[in-house]
Amino acid sequence: LRSSSAVAAFSAELAPGQSLTLVLSAEREPELDGEWAYQAHREREQALAQQAKIRHAPKALAQLVYSADQFIVRRALADGSQGYSVIAGYPWFGDWGRDTMIALPGLTLATRRPDIARGILTTFARYIDRG
């Protein structure tokens, strides 16, 4: 691995049938088992598709559901409990109320996740002050 400022390069030679897992994470303890992580990812995608009732829909529609999920995050609240929020744009923006409320129907209701919508609204309701 060579690194220079914000640029990095990685190379590896694999024989037929070999696999390689490269882990880049912001987690304190990332999962290092690539096969397990990939299987967990696939299971999450299948659960999202099943919840959104798009099991036999075009692949592009399924991809939109998976992509929508990427913007929904758990947010630690001041009392130690967990809430939900929407990240407005990686990596520059955190959660913004206006952007969250605009995106909320498409990210949660269209994907049949009203429980997440409720969680986002409940989280933001804690911080409303005079409007």
Side-chain angles (χ1 to χ4, degrees):
L1 181 63
R2 291 175 294 167
S3 178
S4 172
S5 188
V7 177
F10 177 84
S11 66
E13 287 187 33
L14 299 175
Q18 281 187 310
S19 67
L20 172 76
T21 300
L22 177 64
V23 177
L24 304 171
S25 178
E27 301 293 326
R28 288 178 189 236
E29 297 182 27
E31 178 57 55
L32 300 179
D33 182 341
E35 290 180 30
W36 182 91
Y38 181 71
Q39 183 60 33
H41 173 74
R42 297 295 299 155
E43 288 172 8
R44 176 143 177 84
E45 284 185 342
Q46 290 171 355
L48 288 168
Q50 187 172 18
Q51 186 170 8
K53 298 185 183 345
I54 59 164
R55 291 185 80 159
H56 304 292
K59 190 169 183 155
L61 181 59
Q63 189 60 51
L64 287 172
V65 171
Y66 309 148
S67 296
D69 186 61
Q70 300 291 313
F71 290 92
I72 298 171
V73 297
R74 292 189 186 270
R75 167 72 65 216
L77 302 176
D79 65 4
S81 65
Q82 290 286 316
Y84 287 99
S85 189
V86 173
I87 296 299
Y90 293 112
W92 302 279
F93 302 125
D95 42 356
W96 292 13
R98 178 181 178 272
D99 295 3
T100 296
M101 297 308 140
I102 290 169
L104 185 128
L107 296 179
T108 61
L109 300 178
T111 58
R112 300 177 194 260
R113 297 170 69 187
D115 54 322
I116 302 293
R118 184 182 314 105
I120 292 168
L121 292 171
T122 302
T123 298
F124 272 83
R126 292 176 174 226
Y127 303 102
I128 300 275
D129 182 32
R130 290 183 251 153

